[in-house]
Amino acid sequence: MSLIRAIASTASGLAAQRVRMDVVANNVANIDTTATPEGGPYQRRVVRFASGDPALPFSGVIRKFLGGGSMGVVLTQVAVDAETPGRTVYDPSHPDADPETGYLQMPNVDLVQEMTDLTSANRSYQANVTVLNAMKQMALRALDITSR
């Protein structure tokens, strides 16, 4: 694997984990949002990744330039988690509560799950930074060897 391809692969991992951390932060920020413009409570967002796809136009151009091989991680979508049910809370004084029953539908965001996802994304990001630093050291040593 060439140094440029390795850096591109690591950079895609860094970008993917940054997006993942942004989505987790958005989920945590909306943990108590009971009304959205779409109607109903906020729905948790999840990030979906795939390996570099040669069918993607830009990825194909970069792959040709770099000589083939894996291009790292590609963000495929930020999806709404509509399958996980939200909590139901009895709060008849809340403006979004059902006027007949007094129950309020809360978002399907679980703080423990979000913190676990954030920790995982943070560790993956740190691992990619470590790889990037190792590649930088290898490149510097290679330049040092050739300058002698």
Side-chain angles (χ1 to χ4, degrees):
M1 177 181 268
S2 74
L3 187 62
I4 299 295
R5 283 183 25 212
I7 290 172
S9 181
T10 302
S12 73
L14 288 168
Q17 297 309 322
R18 183 190 53 81
V19 168
R20 188 172 165 206
M21 285 188 267
D22 288 345
V23 168
V24 168
N26 190 39
N27 287 341
V28 171
N30 287 293
I31 200 164
D32 291 323
T33 304
T34 58
T36 60
E38 297 84 28
Y42 176 81
Q43 295 289 309
R44 177 179 184 256
R45 306 301 195 264
V46 292
V47 180
R48 308 250 188 260
F49 299 118
S51 61
D53 184 2
L56 295 174
F58 185 70
S59 177
V61 170
I62 296 297
R63 181 171 277 120
K64 281 184 183 178
F65 174 71
L66 298 175
S70 174
M71 286 302 298
V73 179
V74 175
L75 174 69
T76 57
Q77 74 179 134
V78 177
V80 174
D81 180 11
E83 296 172 8
T84 306
R87 297 176 293 129
T88 303
V89 176
Y90 182 71
D91 187 2
S93 64
H94 195 283
D96 295 326
D98 186 330
E100 295 175 10
T101 63
Y103 283 99
L104 174 65
Q105 191 66 31
M106 297 296 288
N108 61 349
V109 178
D110 178 26
L111 189 58
V112 174
Q113 177 67 44
E114 297 305 319
M115 291 295 101
T116 303
D117 287 349
L118 184 61
T119 301
S120 173
N122 186 24
R123 296 236 172 109
S124 295
Y125 191 91
Q126 289 173 351
N128 278 302
V129 168
T130 301
V131 169
L132 196 58
N133 286 334
M135 286 187 291
K136 181 176 81 170
Q137 289 300 320
M138 284 190 288
L140 289 173
R141 287 190 184 181
L143 288 172
D144 188 42
I145 291 171
T146 58
S147 67
R148 291 180 185 185

